[in-house]
Amino acid sequence: MAEDLSEGKRKNIVKSWGVLLWSVVRADGKINKEEVDRIRQQLEKLHLDPRETEEALAFTKKLEEERIDIYSFVRPLMRELNYREKVALVKELFAVAFSDKSLASEELEAIRTIANIFYISHKDFIQAKLEAQKEAGLRTFNF
């Protein structure tokens, strides 16, 4: 995704991605090392060098104290990502939330809000959740 973009667009996507990840982590009011480490890993997947990763993480942490307008950070992703990439992003939001081996209701609501903005189907939303849950080593229930 990020390799095919201009530097300005890439920076906007990195910021947006970091903010969405951070919004899920802070949703339950508890921020732990595993969640922050998972965000760092995700930012590194965008081909950032270690300095850029830490700058992006610092930017998103700074927003923790501010009221985030989630829509302004979703817009760049809406334009640049296809549906499959948006579903993958939702799955990673779940993975960040599950990194502490639980999913708080506030984290679920934050992810649901983002998925709704992206027009992710309920089926794909549930599938992303179950896949992330399984990858985190947590039990999933089949009915």
Side-chain angles (χ1 to χ4, degrees), residues 77-90:
L77 298 171
M78 287 291 292
R79 286 190 299 266
E80 299 299 333
L81 302 180
N82 63 40
Y83 183 81
R84 185 181 49 74
E85 291 169 326
K86 291 172 188 170
V87 171
L89 184 148
V90 169

Side-chain angles (χ1 to χ4, degrees), residues 96-110:
V96 167
F98 283 127
S99 65
D100 63 357
K101 304 298 182 198
S102 68
L103 178 65
S105 61
E106 298 90 350
E107 292 170 326
L108 178 61
E109 268 317 299

Side-chain angles (χ1 to χ4, degrees), residues 1-55:
M1 163 188 56
E3 307 87 23
D4 303 332
L5 302 172
S6 70
E7 187 61 20
K9 283 185 178 179
R10 186 174 83 81
K11 284 184 178 183
N12 279 341
I13 285 182
V14 167
K15 285 179 182 177
S16 295
W17 182 221
V19 167
L20 293 182
L21 290 165
W22 195 260
S23 71
V24 170
V25 166
R26 73 184 190 104
D28 65 354
K30 302 176 211 155
I31 300 167
N32 65 49
K33 181 184 180 325
E34 293 83 11
E35 292 169 328
V36 174
D37 287 347
R38 185 67 186 227
I39 290 174
R40 187 175 283 112
Q41 290 170 357
Q42 282 306 303
L43 293 173
E44 288 169 354
K45 283 184 182 179
L46 295 175
H47 306 288
L48 301 179
D49 63 40
R51 181 189 55 79
E52 289 175 314
T53 299
E54 292 309 314
E55 285 175 3

Side-chain angles (χ1 to χ4, degrees), residues 94 98 128-141:
F94 275 116
F98 283 127
K129 177 182 179 261
L130 292 174
E131 287 175 14
Q133 190 173 1
K134 184 177 180 182
E135 289 172 12
L138 302 171
R139 267 184 73 145
T140 58
F141 296 97

